[in-house]
Amino acid sequence: MLHALANFVLRRRTVAAWAIDYDQIIAARPLGAKTLQNRRKNVAHLQASLGGRLLRDVRPLDVSRVVRQLWDAGLHFTARRVLIEARDMFNEAVLAGELDANPAAAIRSLSAPVQRSRLSLEHWQQIHAWVAQHGRPWFAYALRLALVCGQRRADLVAMSTDDVWDEHLHVVQQKTGARIALPLALHLDALGVTLGQVIAEAQDYRAPGSMLLRQRANKPFGTAALSASFARARDAVFSRETWGDRTPPTFHEIRSLSERLYRAQGIDTKTLLGHKRQSMTDAYNDDRGLSRGAWKTLVI
């Protein structure tokens, strides 16, 4: 009788109830704080539409409607991520014996044209020249640092002289947890400088401090300061018509430009950017935990 009661309760579980268990599953995975936060947002979209539904009553059409509503609202990236999340969430339910089949498995992925403009070297040079003349010295330096090291905003604002040892800049990427050692001798031909030379410039624009990007009293900047300063300089240099029907490039596009410049030099840009998959720089070079915790050193 107890077994029958347990099966009845199992059949009556809602998507919202399973989402609580699923949250514990993804929280136990080796995900960065930002990635986990984004995953929970994806789940929230599913809960908002399907939370009250019985888990076993969810059909492919139900999941498809959630994704399509986001897509039709112009949230193309969010729609794709929610579909990926739905596949994982319901797959975990299958593995836990909550479901016999994954209702999101058969839904086709959606694709949309790239809407954000890329940043060319000429764009970067004009923006940098404007900042050097009209902007703040710290941001001119931030533009050079971003281009030479190719890292994300969150990693740039966290960089410190304490991260430099054994002739390398060591970066623990906040988004993925990837551990990368970039040689100070890394040379960006487009600027004619090495990473070590750019790091040394950090002491020139403000009173000495350990943070490479710092406000007064060695206080670090936030990522929003990078984005806002870039948008201000970009819009001062280029008209909206420059980008046609696409949205203007953001600070993050410097990372893409860095990859393209280094790839032209023959540099291993997958390691430079901290990607696991060559399809992200062209995807995941995953050795399944053998090198977890080890530094991946860029060889030049």
Side-chain angles (χ1 to χ4, degrees):
M1 182 174 179
L2 290 177
H3 180 70
L5 179 60
N7 285 336
F8 175 78
V9 172
L10 184 65
R11 288 194 299 271
R12 303 301 296 176
R13 293 199 74 188
T14 63
V15 172
W18 171 246
I20 296 173
D21 289 351
Y22 179 67
D23 185 78
Q24 295 177 348
I25 291 172
I26 60 175
R29 295 174 181 173
L31 304 175
K34 181 62 175 178
T35 299
L36 181 58
Q37 180 184 13
N38 290 337
R39 298 284 299 266
R40 285 170 168 162
K41 288 180 180 178
N42 297 335
V43 174
H45 282 293
L46 294 168
Q47 282 189 270
S49 297
L50 302 176
R53 296 288 298 276
L54 294 179
L55 188 59
R56 289 180 174 271
D57 287 347
V58 176
R59 298 293 180 262
L61 179 61
D62 301 319
V63 181
S64 181
R65 282 174 174 165
V66 175
V67 175
R68 178 56 64 180
Q69 286 173 357
L70 293 168
W71 186 269
D72 291 344
L75 303 174
H76 295 164
F77 177 81
T78 301
R80 289 196 294 268
R81 300 311 302 177
V82 168
L83 176 55
I84 293 171
E85 199 69 59
R87 289 170 178 162
D88 187 42
M89 187 172 89
F90 291 119
N91 188 60
E92 289 291 345
V94 172
L95 295 176
E98 301 275 2
L99 287 176
D100 297 323
N102 186 335
I107 301 174
R108 293 182 179 180
S109 298
L110 302 172
S111 60
V114 176
Q115 296 180 333
R116 186 170 63 195
S117 298
R118 286 295 193 194
L119 191 72
S120 70
L121 178 59
E122 292 71 26
H123 293 145
W124 183 94
Q125 289 171 328
Q126 292 183 59
I127 291 171
H128 180 268
W130 185 90
V131 171
Q133 183 175 359
H134 304 287
R136 300 292 180 86
W138 77 268
F139 189 62
Y141 174 71
L143 291 172
R144 293 192 296 277
L145 181 64
L147 190 62
V148 171
C149 74
Q151 302 305 302
R152 299 181 182 89
R153 295 177 307 156
D155 301 318
L156 292 170
V157 299
M159 287 179 181
S160 164
T161 54
D162 295 336
D163 301 322
V164 179
W165 75 84
D166 290 341
E167 296 301 314
H168 287 75
L169 170 66
H170 296 78
V171 181
V172 180
Q173 293 189 336
Q174 295 191 26
K175 180 177 180 179
T176 65
R179 299 158 69 87
I180 310 163
L182 304 177
L184 301 185
L186 177 65
H187 190 275
L188 181 59
D189 294 348
L191 292 190
V193 296
T194 65
L195 175 59
Q197 289 172 327
V198 173
I199 289 176
E201 293 177 13
Q203 303 307 321
D204 296 339
Y205 70 85
R206 181 159 285 148
S210 61
M211 306 301 298
L212 300 191
L213 295 177
R214 61 191 182 280
Q215 303 179 56
R216 290 180 177 83
N218 200 37
K219 183 180 178 181
F221 285 97
T223 57
L226 296 179
S227 296
S229 296
F230 182 84
R232 187 181 306 114
R234 177 202 65 209
D235 293 344
V237 177
F238 299 104
S239 68
R240 181 62 183 82
E241 288 70 29
T242 302
W243 318 112
D245 58 357
R246 297 191 173 197
T247 59
T250 63
F251 185 92
H252 185 72
E253 286 298 324
I254 298 177
R255 179 168 160 87
S256 171
L257 174 59
S258 179
E259 191 280 332
R260 284 178 273 138
L261 294 174
Y262 277 122
R263 182 178 292 206
Q265 293 180 210
I267 296 294
D268 171 15
T269 55
K270 182 164 75 69
T271 297
L272 173 72
L273 300 190
H275 289 159
K276 288 185 178 180
R277 290 196 309 265
Q278 188 61 34
S279 65
M280 297 177 67
T281 11
D282 220 356
Y284 277 106
N285 184 27
D286 193 350
D287 59 9
R288 303 197 176 185
L290 290 179
S291 62
R292 183 176 294 125
W295 295 102
K296 291 185 177 179
T297 301
L298 177 65
V299 179
I300 60 173

